[in-house]
Amino acid sequence: MAGLEGGRAKRATIHDVARVANVAVGTVSRYLNGREVRSGNRARIERAIEEMSFSRNASAAFIRQDRSQFIGFLVPRYDEFHARLLERVVAALSRHGRAVIPLSHGDRESTLNEAFGFFSEQRVGAMIMSGDLDYQKLTRRIAASDLPVVLYNNDIRGLLVDRVLVDNVSATKVAMRHLINLGHEAIAFLAGRNGDSSAEEREAGYRATLYEAGIDFQDRYLVHGDWQFHGGYLGTQRLMSLDVPPTALLSANYLMTYGALEWLKQAGIDVPGSLSLISFDDCDLFRLLGDGITAISQPLDMISGSIVEMVRSRISDPDISDIRKVTLRCELVQRESTAKPSAK
């Protein structure tokens, strides 16, 4: 039962319920928001709520007041994609009185743990996370946290949080069909990092389009560049050194495309005369390289807008029970880096 304070009954808080039920605050929060909780924990929480005459509405007000005006933004690195998205999110949230604290974990598990711990301790209003492979090691901590979380770029399957993603499979298929319609069959793919959902989905789109076109998949034409410049450089070198090199190359992100372009330039291989090239992710530089690089453009304005809407609504109403997912379409921006295969 709630105690007395100055002769008046002290209103129980979510922390009181967690203490009496002997569970984490995040577990109580998940229960209050209608999310999945183990049956044993659910029973203890319900007993604690009844014993303490706990008010759900009072808890929601407490959570809102207890959180800061800051929003945490965790990214693997400040590359062009993440930086451009961050810029848009910061601008939009600032118009609503929210300040964004960005932190880069640089693919280091220790840094990621520290950054997540920092945001949790500071009781930020919400957390925005890129959801790449490294976050899967934090699944339990994220699930136990009572902070609103929005994932983008990569999914963490099974985690009950909001997410804003793009249709990687369909976008890759559009790019592949463009190359196939030009007459290419020997199409290579520079893949991302195994374990990242975006990498898996883009590879799935590559394989599926080959199958649908009746073109045999060949292991030698699939190289993992792990999203990095050097991966694109070395992967392109490996592909173009094959006895039968590809006539077209699809890169799963722009950093690997930069690496591919660097090697192709050093090797004196003409694009698109000797090799057609498409990049997943568009960037300003692609308009200026030669006659331009054909690229799959992610809708950054729509991604950032959806993230901001989810963050604001989750903060204003912590009792939202639905887990929301937005999947956005990408666009193939055709420039002059693709052409029919050269005659042999």
Side-chain angles (χ1 to χ4, degrees), residues 17 25-38 41-43 45-47 49 54 56:
V17 173
V25 173
T27 303
V28 179
S29 177
R30 290 201 306 277
Y31 170 83
L32 294 174
N33 284 302
R35 301 180 185 177
E36 184 178 352
V37 175
R38 288 202 301 264
N41 289 342
R42 176 180 291 275
I45 292 169
E46 289 174 348
R47 285 197 299 271
I49 287 175
F54 176 77
R56 179 189 180 94

Side-chain angles (χ1 to χ4, degrees), residues 81 153 166-173 175 189-190 198 201-202 227 249-257 277-283 286 293-299 330-332:
F81 171 75
N153 197 44
V166 299
D167 191 341
N168 290 293
V169 174
S170 295
T172 304
K173 283 186 171 185
F189 185 61
L190 278 172
S198 58
E201 291 165 359
R202 293 170 196 180
W227 305 126
L249 174 62
L250 174 58
S251 172
N253 85 329
Y254 80 94
L255 282 174
M256 292 190 296
T257 304
L277 177 65
I278 297 179
S279 176
F280 203 113
D281 289 335
D282 195 12
C283 57
F286 284 167
I293 304 298
T294 295
I296 299 167
S297 177
Q298 297 198 52
C330 300
E331 176 188 4
L332 182 66

Side-chain angles (χ1 to χ4, degrees), residues 4 24 43 70 79 83 87-88 132 217 293 304 314 316 322 334 338:
L4 294 178
F70 293 103
D79 60 21
E87 179 183 23
R88 287 165 169 77
D132 46 83
F217 167 77
I293 304 298
S304 61
R314 186 65 73 180
S316 63
D322 292 339
Q334 295 187 34
T338 60

Side-chain angles (χ1 to χ4, degrees), residues 31-159:
Y31 170 83
L32 294 174
N33 284 302
R35 301 180 185 177
E36 184 178 352
V37 175
R38 288 202 301 264
S39 58
N41 289 342
R42 176 180 291 275
R44 288 199 298 273
I45 292 169
E46 289 174 348
R47 285 197 299 271
I49 287 175
E50 182 177 358
E51 176 185 339
M52 306 183 75
S53 301
F54 176 77
S55 169
R56 179 189 180 94
N57 291 334
S59 172
F62 170 80
I63 292 173
R64 283 193 291 269
Q65 293 167 4
D66 195 42
R67 289 182 180 144
S68 75
Q69 296 297 309
F70 293 103
I71 306 298
F73 200 127
L74 270 173
V75 298
R77 64 194 60 83
Y78 297 121
D79 60 21
E80 185 163 346
F81 171 75
H82 295 290
R84 291 168 69 191
L85 182 63
L86 174 61
E87 179 183 23
R88 287 165 169 77
V89 170
V90 168
L93 285 173
S94 67
R95 291 194 290 270
H96 298 286
R98 297 278 173 175
V100 176
I101 304 175
L103 288 176
S104 169
H105 59 78
D107 294 324
R108 293 184 296 273
E109 183 178 355
S110 60
T111 305
L112 180 58
N113 270 291
E114 292 171 1
F116 185 86
F118 169 79
F119 285 136
S120 297
E121 292 169 3
Q122 297 302 313
R123 297 288 297 164
V124 294
M127 296 180 65
I128 302 167
M129 305 188 299
S130 58
D132 46 83
L133 178 63
D134 302 279
Y135 291 95
Q136 296 180 24
K137 302 169 186 175
L138 292 180
T139 300
R140 289 187 178 181
R141 289 188 66 187
I142 296 171
S145 170
D146 64 332
L147 295 177
V149 171
V150 178
L151 297 177
Y152 76 95
N153 197 44
N154 288 288
D155 199 359
I156 302 178
R157 298 179 180 94
L159 192 62

Side-chain angles (χ1 to χ4, degrees), residues 184-245:
H184 293 279
E185 294 189 5
I187 305 172
F189 185 61
L190 278 172
R193 180 173 58 172
N194 280 329
D196 286 342
S197 67
S198 58
E200 294 172 352
E201 291 165 359
R202 293 170 196 180
E203 182 178 330
Y206 167 73
R207 290 173 179 264
T209 315
L210 291 175
Y211 176 80
E212 292 165 2
I215 301 172
D216 291 335
F217 167 77
Q218 300 186 53
D219 283 326
R220 60 180 179 167
Y221 287 151
L222 174 63
V223 175
H224 285 88
D226 293 334
W227 305 126
Q228 302 301 313
F229 175 95
H230 66 270
Y233 182 97
L234 295 175
T236 304
Q237 180 183 47
R238 173 179 164 186
L239 290 166
M240 299 309 294
S241 299
L242 293 171
D243 292 339
V244 181

